[in-house]
């Protein structure tokens, strides 16, 4: 009797493709416009909201495991300093709460979670209200820390 072997191919699922495609579209908008916002910046109120979110953001890492009522998101470059004091520009995600506060993270895991959330749940205008989420941290098998967003 012949033995059969099932082959598993590493083809991404349609959801993975749409999430990656959405993340790529965010990167393209940030590259082109300098930011990606889930709200209109066509008028002065929107531009003020963008400015406030990116200029007065609190560090998300100071609010780990704290539920936050998020109703908008901005992706924009942010500057971080490495251990030797050199500045690096990286992608940052700004989570905006219903009371106008904003929280920034340059964690790749948090940025990926935010992009995945938008790809799978849609634009905040489609949410039917703010989403309660928190930043959580787990350890990988190699002992590294990984931050991500979790819906509450």
């Amino acid at each position: 009797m012949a033995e059969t072997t099932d082959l598993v191919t590493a083809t991404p699922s349609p959801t993975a493709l749409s999430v990656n495609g959405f993340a790529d579209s965010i990167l393209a908008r940030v590259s082109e416009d300098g930011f990606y916002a889930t709200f209109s910046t066509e008028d002065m109120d929107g531009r003020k909201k963008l400015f406030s979110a990116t200029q007065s953001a609190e560090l998300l890492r100071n609010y780990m495991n704290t539920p936050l009522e998020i109703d908008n998101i901005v992706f924009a470059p942010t500057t971080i300093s490495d251990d030797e004091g050199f500045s690096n520009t990286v992608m940052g995600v700004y989570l905006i709460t219903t009371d106008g506060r904003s929280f920034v993270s340059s964690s790749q895991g948090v940025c990926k979670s935010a992009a995945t959330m938008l790809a799978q749940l849609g634009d905040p205008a489609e949410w039917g209200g703010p989403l309660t989420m928190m930043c959580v941290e787990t350890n990988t098998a190699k002992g590294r820390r990984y931050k991500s967003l979790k819906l509450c």
Side-chain angles (χ1 to χ4, degrees), residues 2-9:
E3 186 175 323
T4 60
T5 305
D6 290 330
L7 296 176
V8 178
T9 59

Tab-separated table of all heavy atoms in Angstrom, residues 2-9:
chain	number	residue	atom	x	y	z
A	2	ALA	N	0.597	2.183	-0.846
A	2	ALA	CA	1.412	3.387	-0.952
A	2	ALA	C	1.088	4.338	0.192
A	2	ALA	O	-0.056	4.481	0.597
A	2	ALA	CB	1.153	4.064	-2.292
A	3	GLU	N	2.128	4.971	0.689
A	3	GLU	CA	1.968	5.938	1.776
A	3	GLU	C	1.750	7.310	1.162
A	3	GLU	O	2.403	7.689	0.203
A	3	GLU	CB	3.230	5.942	2.632
A	3	GLU	CG	3.098	6.797	3.861
A	3	GLU	CD	4.334	6.673	4.738
A	3	GLU	OE1	4.900	5.584	4.835
A	3	GLU	OE2	4.699	7.690	5.307
A	4	THR	N	0.799	8.047	1.700
A	4	THR	CA	0.560	9.393	1.191
A	4	THR	C	1.014	10.406	2.228
A	4	THR	O	0.955	10.147	3.434
A	4	THR	CB	-0.929	9.626	0.880
A	4	THR	OG1	-1.669	9.447	2.076
A	4	THR	CG2	-1.417	8.687	-0.201
A	5	THR	N	1.466	11.514	1.750
A	5	THR	CA	1.915	12.590	2.628
A	5	THR	C	1.189	13.854	2.227
A	5	THR	O	1.178	14.222	1.057
A	5	THR	CB	3.434	12.809	2.492
A	5	THR	OG1	4.082	11.565	2.739
A	5	THR	CG2	3.923	13.840	3.470
A	6	ASP	N	0.558	14.496	3.180
A	6	ASP	CA	-0.091	15.773	2.908
A	6	ASP	C	0.963	16.866	2.963
A	6	ASP	O	1.751	16.937	3.901
A	6	ASP	CB	-1.178	16.076	3.951
A	6	ASP	CG	-2.373	15.155	3.811
A	6	ASP	OD1	-2.638	14.723	2.686
A	6	ASP	OD2	-3.023	14.893	4.838
A	7	LEU	N	0.978	17.695	1.944
A	7	LEU	CA	1.905	18.812	1.916
A	7	LEU	C	1.175	20.072	2.338
A	7	LEU	O	0.074	20.343	1.869
A	7	LEU	CB	2.482	18.998	0.515
A	7	LEU	CG	3.329	17.845	-0.011
A	7	LEU	CD1	3.755	18.134	-1.434
A	7	LEU	CD2	4.535	17.638	0.876
A	8	VAL	N	1.780	20.800	3.215
A	8	VAL	CA	1.220	22.066	3.656
A	8	VAL	C	2.069	23.155	3.037
A	8	VAL	O	3.276	23.194	3.238
A	8	VAL	CB	1.224	22.179	5.194
A	8	VAL	CG1	0.681	23.525	5.622
A	8	VAL	CG2	0.438	21.041	5.803
A	9	THR	N	1.445	24.002	2.283
A	9	THR	CA	2.187	25.108	1.679
A	9	THR	C	2.028	26.350	2.539
A	9	THR	O	1.031	26.513	3.242
A	9	THR	CB	1.685	25.407	0.259
A	9	THR	OG1	0.300	25.729	0.329
A	9	THR	CG2	1.904	24.227	-0.664
